[in-house]
Amino acid sequence: MKYTERIPKWLWGAFFVFTTACETDRPVPYLHQIPSWFPEMDIPQENQLTEARVALGRKLFYEPLLSSDSSVSCGTCHSLDLAFTDGLSISQGVDAALGMRNSPTLANIGYAPRLFHDGGVGGLELQSQSPIFSVSEMNFSIAGFLDRISDDAEYTKMFLEAYGREPDAFGISRSIAAFERTLISSNSRFDQYEYQGDMNALSEQELRGKTLFFSEETECSNCHQPPLFTNFEYENIGLYLNYADSGRARITHLESDKGKFKVPTLRNVELTAPYMHNGSIQTLEEVVEHFNGGGVGHSNQSASVKPLYLTQQQKTDLVAFLKTLTDVSFVQNENFSNPN
Ligand code: HEC
Ligand code: HEC
């Protein structure tokens, strides 16, 4: 007699009901689309990605009720079509209050060990609440938001599904972080050429620019390292002799960190103008001109920033290469757009 024949039929039935019940309760993991040429992403054990968490985070990311006058959401300053930037030199919050810095792209932000231009914030779960309180951003409070959605059955259901608890600060900060970790940009023409073997993806000119970018002459790739096009270090690139914003030194209080800012990713840089921590440079041509000039010679300036003596042709080639980092499928990804 086979083992299974000894088990009464009704017991199988009970087993079936039991397992399918568990099936529906078990969170559906989010299928994280990370390509083979990208590093593994560190995701906190207690906030693993699930469909429900990402969906809630996405809804909250685009939720203007998180701001005092219900006019500003995260997506206002981090707009998908601009690779999650806002096109302004300095971001504006509710009542057009001016902040202090340029809105950075959120492409591949799940890899950043520290956040903000000065690395002042430790992680996405911590960061996602700060714009809500910030006077120059959303100028509101978590309690005020929870009050606004207290009768909203859909929100209650989504929070319960995502974290097994009613709407609260815990679910808000974690779900937004979960959504942000899904913002992977890895399908630029550079990726197609470099990692997917499409030898026709780049033109002659773009290839000349690529060679320059990775050369010892320019050293661009020392700081903007592929595949993420940043090494996440803080560097002074000699924009000013006296920085109005002292950058990394605001956090460390070290003289040697004055004027140092987080090396930004260059992915989608064609879409993220204006440039630098304060949006002071308008075009890629001008950025290349800055590096070509070798900086103003600040005492903390990196030795990698020095006069390059590039020809006009070489400068144009470099800009052409930077534009190959644009990822059209990223800014058109419907999973990242406003679901509300
Ligand atoms: C008023 C515009 C504005 C709003 C609204 C806003 N941000 Fe930002 N965000 C910025 C600016 C400016 C910075 C850079 C801050 C700094 O470096 O001091 C930033 C930085 C960030 C960073 C760090 C990026 C990096 O490269 O280090 C993340 C993540 C982020 N914002 C997510 C959010 C989320 C989530 C929300 C909504 C809860 C939000 N932002 C709302 C303007 C805004
Ligand atoms: C020593 C490290 C270093 C080197 C070398 C370097 N960069 Fe940068 N780059 C930075 C830092 C840091 C910033 C941001 C400065 C700020 O926010 O004020 C930056 C900003 C940029 C920006 C603007 C990005 C944005 O979103 O604001 C572009 C474009 C850029 N670099 C391209 C290049 C090119 C091209 C080269 C080579 C000619 C190069 N970089 C060399 C560190 C470096």
Side-chain angles (χ1 to χ4, degrees), residues 307-328:
L308 299 176
Y309 310 106
L310 301 175
T311 64
Q312 193 49 51
Q313 183 65 54
Q314 286 178 311
K315 291 183 218 168
T316 320
D317 293 349
L318 253 186
V319 170
F321 170 68
L322 292 174
K323 293 183 179 172
T324 70
L325 300 174
T326 304
D327 179 353
V328 178

Side-chain angles (χ1 to χ4, degrees), residues 94-146:
V94 292
D95 294 329
L98 270 191
M100 171 175 112
R101 289 178 177 158
N102 182 257
S103 166
T105 178
L106 302 184
N108 305 322
I109 195 64
Y111 288 103
R114 302 196 61 83
L115 302 165
F116 286 7
H117 292 287
D118 53 21
V121 176
L124 288 173
E125 276 79 2
L126 281 172
Q127 192 280 329
S128 46
Q129 288 189 35
S130 66
I132 303 172
F133 304 112
S134 163
V135 179
S136 62
E137 295 178 90
M138 302 163 105
N139 193 18
F140 202 43
S141 67
I142 300 273
F145 171 68
L146 292 173

Side-chain angles (χ1 to χ4, degrees), residues 83-300:
F84 292 102
T85 61
D86 60 9
L88 300 170
S89 289
I90 303 288
S91 292
Q92 293 184 359
V94 292
D95 294 329
L98 270 191
M100 171 175 112
R101 289 178 177 158
N102 182 257
S103 166
T105 178
L106 302 184
N108 305 322
I109 195 64
Y111 288 103
R114 302 196 61 83
L115 302 165
F116 286 7
H117 292 287
D118 53 21
V121 176
L124 288 173
E125 276 79 2
L126 281 172
Q127 192 280 329
S128 46
Q129 288 189 35
S130 66
I132 303 172
F133 304 112
S134 163
V135 179
S136 62
E137 295 178 90
M138 302 163 105
N139 193 18
F140 202 43
S141 67
I142 300 273
F145 171 68
L146 292 173
D147 204 37
R148 284 179 182 174
I149 62 157
S150 59
D151 294 333
D152 189 320
E154 194 190 350
Y155 261 128
T156 305
K157 181 166 165 275
M158 289 180 84
F159 274 91
L160 283 170
E161 270 174 21
Y163 294 99
R165 48 203 284 168
E166 304 272 321
D168 64 358
F170 180 99
I172 294 173
S173 54
R174 280 172 181 72
S175 65
I176 294 179
F179 170 64
E180 290 174 310
R181 291 194 176 97
T182 69
L183 307 177
I184 303 287
S185 176
S186 61
N187 191 29
S188 65
R189 285 192 293 115
F190 168 78
D191 295 283
Q192 291 159 13
Y193 178 90
E194 191 74 7
Y195 306 111
Q196 294 173 288
D198 180 355
M199 291 302 145
N200 299 319
L202 301 188
S203 70
E204 292 284 314
Q205 178 178 39
E206 290 161 348
L207 287 172
R208 287 198 305 270
K210 175 174 180 279
T211 305
L212 264 176
F213 186 89
F214 289 101
S215 67
E216 283 179 22
E217 186 188 352
T218 67
E219 297 191 72
C220 309
S221 59
N222 282 9
C223 297
H224 302 286
Q225 278 170 14
L228 299 172
F229 286 88
T230 168
N231 56 5
F232 298 112
E233 296 291 333
Y234 307 93
E235 296 285 358
N236 180 315
I237 59 168
L239 289 172
Y240 310 104
L241 283 176
N242 284 304
Y243 278 79
D245 180 341
S246 63
R248 185 67 182 150
R250 278 169 60 96
I251 309 303
T252 63
H253 305 293
L254 293 173
E255 196 63 30
S256 56
D257 279 339
K258 274 202 173 150
K260 288 191 180 173
F261 291 88
K262 193 167 71 181
V263 175
T265 177
L266 299 185
R267 284 186 174 271
N268 302 296
V269 76
E270 182 182 11
L271 307 174
T272 64
Y275 304 108
M276 307 304 170
H277 65 280
N278 54 1
S280 56
I281 300 189
Q282 301 300 319
T283 66
L284 288 176
E285 285 75 12
E286 291 167 84
V287 173
V288 167
E289 207 55 73
H290 165 75
F291 284 108
N292 189 47
V296 298
H298 189 283
S299 54
N300 293 334

